[in-house]
Amino acid sequence: GGSASASTIKQVKLERESELRIEVCNETPLKLRLLNGSAEIFGSELAPEMWLTFPPRLKFAVFTWYGATIEMDGATETDYTADETPMVSYVNVHAVLEGRRNRAKALSPNDSEASQGPRVIVVGPTDSGKSTLSRMLLSWAAKQGWKPTFVDLDIGQGSITVPGCIAATPIELPIDPVEGIPLEMPLVYFYGHTTPSNNVDLYKTLVNELAQMLETQFARNAESRAAGMVINTMGWIEGTGYELLLHAIDTFKANVVLVLGQEKLFSMLKAVAKSKPNVDVVKLQKSGGVVSRNAKYRQKSRGYRIREYFYGLANDLSPHSNIANFSDLLVYRIGGGPQAPRSALPIGADPIANPLRVTPVNIDRDLLHMVLAVSYAKEPDQILSSNVAGFIYITDIDIQRKKITYLAPSAGELPSKYLIMGTLTWLET
Ligand code: ADP
C-alpha cells in the first residue's frame, strides 16, 4: 500500500511482557529475527538469530515474557509495540489445562472418563482472536510434549485446510509461525459452503461425524486422550450460530469453554452451564492486537487459502492439470438439489428437499471454477458420512468432447471417483 514505510533494517527492543504487532506489507514479504533475549509468535518460540520470512499480508505479534531485541528487514503496513496484552491470563489458562492433562495421564487409561484431558472450545465473535488463542494453547501444550488435537469448525477461514470444511489434526510440535498448521493427514469433512446457513443440518451432521471419529481414535490412544483437544469455532454467535455453538459444546463433550470478548455470549453460556456441573465457562479479554477483517478481505483470504492448498505458501508445490472423461467422475451434491414438483408428490407431502439427500450432479459448465472434494466413500450412500482425501479445482469443461480438466495436488489417479460439490468456487489469479 501507499502508506508502507521504506524498506530498511530496523531493530526493536521489547520490554518484558510486551509485543511487537506487525502487519506485513500487501506486496512484499518481511524478514524478521530474534537478536537477543527470548520471544514467541502465538506460542511458538523463535530460534535465536534465524531469519524468518513472513509472506505478504500476514498479521502477527512477537511477544516476549522476559525482554528481547527483534530485527526486521523489509516494509510493513504497520508495526508497533504494545505493553498491554492479555497474555498472562492466556498462559494462566494454559497452566490450568496442563494440570488437567497431568491428572488425566496419571489416572488409569482404563477409566476413559477420568483419563480424558481437557476439551477446550474457544468461542466469540469474528475477529476476537479465537484462532490465535487456539494456536497459542496448542503450541504451549506441544512444547511441553503433549499431542493435543486441534479441531477447526470454522468453515469461513479454516486454518487446517481449504475453507468450507471442518477438520481435525494432532499438533505434535509448536505451530510454525510462517507455515501454520502442518497439512499432513488431517481428518477433513467437506461441508462445501462458507456459511453454515446454507445447510445447517449438513453442518451438524458433519460435526457429529467428526466428533464420533475422534471419539474412536481417543478410545484407543491414551496419549492423545490425556492431551485433550482445542476446538476453534465460527464467529457466528447469534440465532442459529448460537444453536450451533451449543451443539458443538455437547457433541465434543467440551469441558472448558473460553469466551473471548463478548459479555452477552459469556453470560448466556454461563447460564446454560449451570445444568452442566463439569463444564467451566471462562471469560477472557480480547487482545488489542487482533486485526478486524472485513467481508471483502475474508473473501480474498479464502481465495489465498485455496491457492495455498494447490501451490503452497511460497509457490513451492506443483499441482498437476489432469483431463478426465465425464464418465470417469461421479459428482454429487448434498441437499439443496432440484426438488420434486408438488404435483409429483403424494398429497400433503412436504416439497422441501431433504437437506441430507445425496444427489448426482450432471457435469456441465456450472462446474467450472468449482473446488470439489474427493470423498473416501466407496458407495454413494457413504458420501454423507465419509471424510475427504483432498480437493480438485475444475479449470475446463468441454461439453462437445465430454472432457473435464482439473487441477489436483499431484499427478495420477484420484483416490476415489466420488466427488462432492458445494458452492465453493475460486478464480485462479
Ligand atoms: P478470529 O479467529 O476470532 O476471527 P483471529 O485469531 O484469526 O480472530 O485474529 C484476527 C487477525 O488478527 C489474524 O490475522 C491474527 O493473526 C491477527 N492477530 C491476532 N492477535 C494479534 C496480535 N496480538 N497482534 C497482531 N495481530 C494479531
Side-chain angles (χ1 to χ4, degrees):
S3 62
S5 51
S7 164
T8 42
I9 291 200
K10 170 166 151 186
Q11 280 185 12
V12 182
K13 192 168 165 8
L14 289 175
E15 300 299 329
R16 57 180 299 143
E17 287 176 28
S18 69
E19 70 185 19
L20 172 61
R21 294 174 180 164
I22 298 174
E23 290 184 38
V24 182
C25 188
N26 285 327
E27 287 85 32
T28 52
L30 174 77
K31 289 185 14 171
L32 178 146
R33 66 173 174 169
L34 171 68
L35 264 193
N36 58 56
S38 60
E40 57 184 50
I41 294 177
F42 298 153
S44 188
E45 263 188 300
L46 296 184
E49 293 185 37
M50 280 249 298
W51 283 106
L52 295 172
T53 304
F54 295 87
R57 296 175 300 271
L58 200 72
K59 303 164 193 348
F60 66 101
V62 186
F63 178 86
T64 180
W65 293 105
Y66 304 108
T69 307
I70 306 298
E71 197 167 56
M72 285 191 284
D73 182 2
T76 62
E77 276 311 299
T78 50
D79 60 271
Y80 67 97
T81 311
D83 56 10
E84 260 180 57
T85 77
M87 291 294 277
V88 170
S89 62
Y90 293 177
V91 87
N92 284 340
V93 170
H94 164 70
V96 172
L97 300 178
E98 203 58 12
R100 294 195 183 184
R101 290 185 183 110
N102 284 319
R103 223 174 316 143
K105 191 180 174 182
L107 289 166
S108 162
N110 297 328
D111 183 347
S112 64
E113 198 71 2
S115 63
Q116 170 61 61
R119 295 187 173 193
V120 186
I121 187 164
V122 184
V123 305
T126 38
D127 297 328
S128 56
K130 294 180 299 298
S131 320
T132 305
L133 176 60
S134 304
R135 191 162 161 163
M136 287 185 219
L137 295 173
L138 290 161
S139 286
W140 287 330
K143 186 185 168 191
Q144 281 172 290
W146 300 100
K147 293 175 183 166
T149 300
F150 176 40
V151 178
D152 198 355
L153 303 182
D154 186 1
I155 50 180
Q157 308 274 320
S159 39
I160 296 180
T161 183
V162 303
C165 298
I166 63 169
T169 190
I171 301 297
E172 310 199 335
L173 292 169
I175 297 163
D176 187 286
V178 177
E179 300 283 329
I181 313 270
L183 281 176
E184 297 144 29
M185 301 299 285
L187 182 58
V188 181
Y189 290 84
F190 187 62
Y191 169 70
H193 318 278
T194 52
T195 133
S197 54
N198 281 38
N199 192 338
V200 171
D201 293 280
L202 175 59
Y203 184 85
K204 281 189 177 173
T205 302
L206 298 180
V207 166
N208 291 340
E209 291 293 338
L210 175 59
Q212 232 174 62
M213 186 64 94
L214 291 178
E215 220 55 85
T216 312
Q217 292 181 355
F218 276 8
R220 42 171 197 249
N221 188 337
E223 193 187 3
S224 59
R225 196 162 70 239
M229 42 176 140
V230 176
I231 306 161
N232 182 37
T233 60
M234 301 178 279
W236 201 32
I237 54 169
E238 306 279 339
T240 312
Y242 178 70
E243 299 296 316
L244 290 176
L245 277 185
L246 295 182
H247 175 254
I249 293 171
D250 285 343
T251 311
F252 286 99
K253 302 198 183 81
N255 46 29
V256 179
V257 182
L258 302 177
V259 189
L260 275 172
Q262 232 236 20
E263 211 60 53
K264 181 179 155 206
L265 181 61
F266 170 70
S267 63
M268 283 165 80
L269 291 172
K270 190 89 186 154
V272 169
K274 277 217 178 90
S275 60
K276 300 174 181 170
N278 52 354
V279 179
D280 294 316
V281 183
V282 181
K283 180 170 63 181
L284 288 171
Q285 201 197 321
K286 166 184 166 177
S287 166
V290 176
V291 184
S292 296
R293 301 157 296 178
N294 60 27
K296 198 170 154 220
Y297 180 97
R298 278 166 201 290
Q299 173 70 34
K300 266 194 157 170
S301 56
R302 284 199 272 271
Y304 293 132
R305 195 72 187 136
I306 296 171
R307 162 160 250 290
E308 186 187 336
Y309 174 80
F310 290 104
Y311 290 95
L313 192 63
N315 266 327
D316 47 342
L317 302 180
S318 15
H320 279 255
S321 187
N322 304 278
I323 299 179
N325 297 313
F326 281 11
S327 56
D328 295 340
L329 303 176
L330 299 169
V331 183
Y332 286 82
R333 72 157 68 167
I334 304 170
Q339 57 197 51
R342 194 174 274 281
S343 59
L345 294 171
I347 290 169
D350 189 356
I352 303 278
N354 173 0
L356 301 180
R357 191 174 58 196
V358 177
T359 38
V361 174
N362 279 330
I363 298 183
D364 60 23
R365 297 280 302 172
D366 287 352
L367 279 175
L368 195 60
H369 303 313
M370 287 232 123
V371 176
L372 308 183
V374 183
S375 176
Y376 275 123
K378 302 250 179 326
E379 301 290 338
D381 65 0
Q382 295 174 347
I383 288 178
L384 194 57
S385 58
S386 295
N387 55 317
V388 301
F391 307 91
I392 64 169
Y393 173 59
I394 309 297
T395 53
D396 191 42
I397 304 273
D398 185 336
I399 302 282
Q400 240 110 65
R401 291 167 52 234
K402 294 195 186 307
K403 298 274 185 197
I404 186 164
T405 312
Y406 64 90
L407 202 64
S410 57
E413 215 165 306
L414 294 174
S416 145
K417 60 183 177 191
Y418 292 113
L419 303 176
I420 313 171
M421 174 187 135
T423 53
L424 194 64
T425 55
W426 177 46
L427 276 183
E428 193 176 355
T429 44

